[in-house]
Amino acid sequence: MISSLKSTLLVLALPILSAAETTGGTLSVETQVQVFEGTCTAFIEIIESAEEGEKLVCESSDGMMYDVPLVDTAWIEEKRQSGELVSGATVLDLPENTMVDMQTWSLILSAPPGLLN
């Protein structure tokens, strides 16, 4: 649980929020969160590990790659088979309040993304 919002910083003219988690009065991991701005094009990434499958990543308009949570392999397959999701072509329709976890390079979403073709 986030117990305090420490500061607001400006890095490259984008707002960065620094939040620290505490447990039992001890400072643990510090997380940096940034407001996501711009568009993000979907790419399907094949997972080659013990848990094979696919995950959704997206490339932002400035060339950065981010993991897209809240979707699983079944969702990806359903959208791909229906033609709604084309890797490298479909633009994600992200909620207005989308943030980026700068440590994991994952989007922080309040709902699964929509798809724009």
Side-chain angles (χ1 to χ4, degrees):
M1 174 181 232
I2 297 176
S3 64
S4 67
L5 185 60
K6 290 173 34 179
S7 63
T8 301
L9 306 171
L10 290 179
V11 175
L12 301 174
L14 296 175
I16 302 285
L17 303 177
S18 181
E21 282 188 83
T22 59
T23 44
T26 355
L27 186 63
S28 61
V29 180
E30 188 171 298
T31 304
Q32 287 192 348
V33 178
Q34 176 178 316
V35 174
F36 180 82
E37 296 177 356
T39 61
C40 214
T41 302
F43 286 89
I44 299 168
E45 187 174 290
I46 306 298
I47 301 170
E48 295 179 7
S49 66
E51 295 181 28
E52 289 190 16
E54 298 170 326
K55 73 176 187 174
L56 194 63
V57 296
C58 72
E59 181 178 13
S60 64
S61 49
D62 64 359
M64 301 300 294
M65 298 294 286
Y66 302 103
D67 287 334
V68 181
L70 304 181
V71 299
D72 58 12
T73 299
W75 184 93
I76 293 168
E77 282 302 311
E78 175 187 327
K79 301 298 184 186
R80 183 167 43 192
Q81 288 177 3
S82 71
E84 293 176 75
L85 176 61
V86 178
S87 185
T90 301
V91 174
L92 299 180
D93 184 15
L94 300 172
E96 280 187 37
N97 59 350
T98 299
M99 305 288 280
V100 177
D101 181 324
M102 299 305 291
Q103 289 182 318
T104 63
W105 295 97
S106 293
L107 297 178
I108 301 170
L109 303 173
S110 57
L115 303 173
L116 304 172
N117 285 327

